[in-house]
């Protein structure tokens, strides 16, 4: 992990390591499909887009509107690979006005087929209800959080998803951050959810000191995890941490400045290298925010962290 920390420290400030990928702005989750391709979710659209490493234009994509049965964007925020399967999670959050958004209650899976993915099983829509009903999570008072807007103080917002060695998943919350600690909740039976066999089962919540920040992305790298942390709302600083995965271990900050990037997703390549994606939906393109610009002008930045 020391070598990885040194790698991040050297690479984050290097503008030459950045790549611009075209076609979407709000990169929110991603997974490497092989040594050259990755698939990325956009939290403004129900579509997965596939890119070849280092090349600006996409090489494929999968529309998910029909599969997700969503009338509006599902607000996809996290992804985690277990074998040849990728699990995806939506924010499960209310909108900025505090209104319930049923389309955001989605947990689903895709299977990797070469350099593309295909949806498998069925979307699970009961994850939030399961979280709120879990006795072990009652002290977190997530019912109160789930009644507030996603970015409101003490609101509820899922943004991270990572694989654990035993095939379970870790759900990372951007909000709430009780007592200044970010929340990571183990999801024990992801395969059963997408096969429609049973409700979600959870392990004990893990509280992490990320300097008052929440989880924006979490990824298993080697024997531990990397965490991109950020504020629950738009105002605040971002930071990177390495964490052993043990609940009793404190995450170690990586002294690196992401500059103008807004880290929203990170993923590891088969060779152990890491790519950090920026949510550039609010970046101005002429007189418009990127997400409102013509599609031909939309793009997001990626930072490749190389040894």
């Amino acid at each position: 992990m020391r070598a990885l920390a040194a790698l991040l420290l050297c690479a984050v400030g290097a503008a030459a390591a950045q790549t611009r990928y075209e076609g979407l702005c709000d990169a929110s989750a991603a997974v490497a499909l092989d040594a050259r391709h990755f698939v990325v979710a956009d939290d403004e659209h129900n579509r997965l887009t596939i890119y070849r490493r280092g090349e600006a234009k996409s090489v494929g994509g999968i529309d998910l509107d029909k599969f997700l049965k969503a009338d509006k964007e599902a607000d996809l925020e996290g992804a985690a690979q277990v074998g040849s399967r990728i699990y995806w999670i939506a924010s499960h959050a209310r909108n900025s006005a505090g209104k319930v958004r049923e389309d955001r209650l989605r947990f689903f899976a895709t299977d990797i087929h070469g350099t593309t993915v295909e949806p498998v099983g069925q979307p699970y829509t009961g994850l939030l209800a399961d979280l709120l009903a879990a006795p072990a999570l009652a002290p977190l008072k997530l019912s109160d959080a789930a009644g507030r807007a996603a970015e409101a103080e003490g609101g509820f917002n899922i943004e991270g998803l990572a694989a654990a060695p035993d095939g379970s998943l870790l759900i990372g919350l951007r909000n709430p951050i009780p007592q200044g600690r970010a929340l990571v909740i183990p999801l024990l039976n992801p395969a059963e959810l997408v096969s429609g066999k049973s409700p979600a089962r959870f392990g004990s919540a893990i509280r992490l000191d990320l300097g008052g920040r929440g989880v924006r992305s979490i990824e298993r790298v080697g024997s531990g995890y990397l965490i991109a942390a950020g504020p629950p709302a738009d105002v605040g600083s971002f930071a990177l941490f390495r964490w052993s995965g043990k609940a009793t271990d404190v995450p170690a900050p990586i002294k690196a400045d992401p500059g103008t990037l807004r880290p929203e997703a990170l993923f590891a390549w088969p060779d152990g290298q890491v790519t950090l994606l920026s949510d550039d939906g609010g970046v101005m393109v002429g007189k418009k925010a990127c997400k409102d610009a013509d599609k031909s002008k939309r793009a997001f930045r990626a930072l490749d962290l190389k040894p």
Side-chain angles (χ1 to χ4, degrees), residues 133-176:
L137 303 178
L140 299 177
K141 298 182 179 180
L142 294 180
S143 294
D144 293 341
R148 302 186 178 107
E151 297 183 9
E153 182 176 356
F156 184 86
N157 196 357
I158 293 172
E159 291 226 355
L161 194 68
D166 62 359
S168 64
L169 302 178
L170 297 179
I171 299 172
L173 272 59
R174 173 176 171 178
N175 208 13

Side-chain angles (χ1 to χ4, degrees), residues 46-225:
N46 300 330
R47 179 177 175 81
L48 303 177
T49 305
I50 297 168
Y51 292 91
R52 186 175 290 115
R53 192 175 187 177
E55 297 182 12
K57 296 187 179 299
S58 68
V59 296
I62 301 91
D63 288 315
L64 297 171
D65 284 318
K66 291 183 178 180
F67 174 71
L68 295 179
K69 299 178 181 179
D71 295 326
K72 297 182 180 180
E73 78 276 4
D75 198 20
L76 304 179
E77 294 290 359
Q81 182 179 354
V82 178
S84 62
R85 177 161 294 182
I86 303 172
Y87 292 100
W88 304 85
I89 197 166
S91 68
H92 289 72
R94 295 192 176 213
N95 67 11
S96 58
K99 295 183 179 180
V100 174
R101 285 287 306 277
E102 297 287 346
D103 300 296
R104 297 181 179 183
L105 303 178
R106 297 292 186 276
F107 175 85
F108 67 99
T110 58
D111 281 346
I112 299 174
H113 296 280
T115 58
T116 189
V117 297
E118 294 181 4
V120 63
Q122 60 192 42
Y124 185 67
T125 60
L127 184 70
L128 180 59
D130 295 341
L131 278 166
L132 302 187
L137 303 178
L140 299 177
K141 298 182 179 180
L142 294 180
S143 294
D144 293 341
R148 302 186 178 107
E151 297 183 9
E153 182 176 356
F156 184 86
N157 196 357
I158 293 172
E159 291 226 355
L161 194 68
D166 62 359
S168 64
L169 302 178
L170 297 179
I171 299 172
L173 272 59
R174 173 176 171 178
N175 208 13
I177 310 174
Q179 291 80 51
R181 297 294 190 267
L183 295 175
V184 174
I185 300 174
L187 172 60
L188 305 180
N189 60 332
E192 292 180 355
L193 301 190
V194 299
S195 64
K197 292 182 178 179
S198 67
R201 292 184 287 107
F202 305 99
S204 298
I206 301 167
R207 300 171 185 251
L208 299 179
D209 184 358
L210 303 179
R213 304 175 185 88
V215 174
R216 290 299 185 93
S217 186
I218 179 170
E219 173 78 357
R220 186 166 182 83
V221 180
S223 60
Y225 294 86

Side-chain angles (χ1 to χ4, degrees), residues 222-235:
S223 60
Y225 294 86
L226 289 183
I227 300 174
D234 286 335
V235 179

Side-chain angles (χ1 to χ4, degrees), residues 205-267:
I206 301 167
R207 300 171 185 251
L208 299 179
D209 184 358
L210 303 179
R213 304 175 185 88
V215 174
R216 290 299 185 93
S217 186
I218 179 170
E219 173 78 357
R220 186 166 182 83
V221 180
S223 60
Y225 294 86
L226 289 183
I227 300 174
D234 286 335
V235 179
S237 63
F238 293 84
L240 297 174
F241 292 81
R242 63 184 184 276
W243 174 49
S244 70
K246 296 180 180 179
T248 55
D249 287 352
V250 178
I254 297 168
K255 295 181 180 179
D257 182 4
T260 61
L261 269 70
R262 295 181 61 82
E264 193 74 9
L266 57 87
F267 66 95

